[in-house]
Amino acid sequence: MSMSYTSSTSVSREAATYGGFVDALGGIATIVLAIIGLSGVKPDILASIATIVFGAALLIQGGAMLSEFAETEMTPDANVASGGGGLSALFLVGIGGIVLGVLALLGIRATILTGAAVIAFGSALVISSSAVWQLLTSRSVAMRFQARPVVVRFIASEVAAGSAGVQAMCGLSVIVLGILAVCGVFTGPLTLVALLVAGASILLTGSTLTGTMVGFMRDAPAASTTRLG
């Protein structure tokens, strides 16, 4: 049983680490594309490509968070509230964003479709912020922190609260910018700015931070050895 549990958690850790790395690259790529578009280099095409990239990044973030939830729930004394709503939003909006981005890239009402995708992205960021909070403040994770120094626990608590809060605020900003863009107020620039904010959000508070924090909270190697024994 111990060996089986350890093997499962190892696979989950590797999946979350890989997912966090790729989703960080997606955030960086979205930021770069948005900045280039804002500089005047084919903004419509770059907005469509950035929409596709960010949609893919949301899918990867959802997968990485799902891996972390699965690992946390497999631990002893786990009591994690379901983050299904937030994770479902990430998957559905990610797929929808990719589809809308492809259609926009083909020239089908590009400005309207990218603006609609941006609004959906912002909504997904707001909804999934609660899942980030649940993951970082779960009972099983908190119990693993009991052996850590007080300063470490304080920093982790502040980062957990800040992560969810910043993601929610970025999501709200993206929604507002997307609505203004769809209404025709500086449609191109505001869409790119919204994608820039969304990319920064997923880079700073997405599954990269989640994977880092949960990894930081895990048992020390000595404790792992004891369990295996």
Side-chain angles (χ1 to χ4, degrees):
M1 286 292 290
S2 299
M3 290 298 293
S4 174
Y5 167 73
T6 303
S7 175
S8 299
T9 54
S10 291
V11 172
S12 187
R13 289 180 190 183
E14 291 177 4
T17 301
Y18 177 76
F21 176 72
V22 175
D23 122 17
L25 288 180
I28 294 172
T30 303
I31 293 171
V32 171
L33 291 169
I35 292 174
I36 295 174
L38 286 170
S39 69
V41 180
K42 298 183 177 179
D44 292 341
I45 294 177
L46 290 182
S48 301
I49 296 174
T51 300
I52 297 171
V53 171
F54 189 78
L58 280 185
L59 282 175
I60 296 168
Q61 179 183 2
M65 289 183 64
L66 185 62
S67 297
E68 292 291 357
F69 268 114
E71 178 181 344
T72 303
E73 290 178 349
M74 284 190 298
T75 59
D77 300 319
N79 183 24
V80 183
S82 174
L87 296 182
S88 298
L90 290 178
F91 284 114
L92 292 176
V93 173
I95 295 172
I98 293 173
V99 172
L100 292 175
V102 170
L103 292 175
L105 194 59
L106 294 175
I108 304 174
R109 306 287 297 225
T111 55
I112 299 297
L113 291 183
T114 52
V118 160
I119 296 173
F121 290 156
S123 301
L125 290 174
V126 173
I127 296 172
S128 64
S129 64
S130 62
V132 173
W133 173 257
Q134 289 174 11
L135 180 60
L136 295 179
T137 58
S138 63
R139 180 185 171 191
S140 60
V141 169
M143 289 181 65
R144 293 175 187 178
F145 248 112
Q146 296 304 314
R148 303 288 185 179
V150 176
V151 174
V152 172
R153 284 181 292 182
F154 175 77
I155 293 174
S157 176
E158 290 298 309
V159 171
S163 172
V166 169
Q167 180 166 321
M169 290 301 297
C170 287
L172 290 174
S173 301
V174 171
I175 292 173
V176 172
L177 291 170
I179 292 174
L180 292 175
V182 170
C183 291
V185 181
F186 299 107
T187 301
L190 287 186
T191 299
L192 288 168
V193 171
L195 288 168
L196 176 62
V197 174
S201 172
I202 203 173
L203 176 63
L204 296 175
T205 65
S207 61
T208 302
L209 176 60
T210 302
T212 302
M213 286 298 301
V214 175
F216 190 45
M217 296 174 189
R218 291 186 182 112
D219 294 336
S224 300
T225 304
T226 302
R227 277 203 307 269
L228 290 173

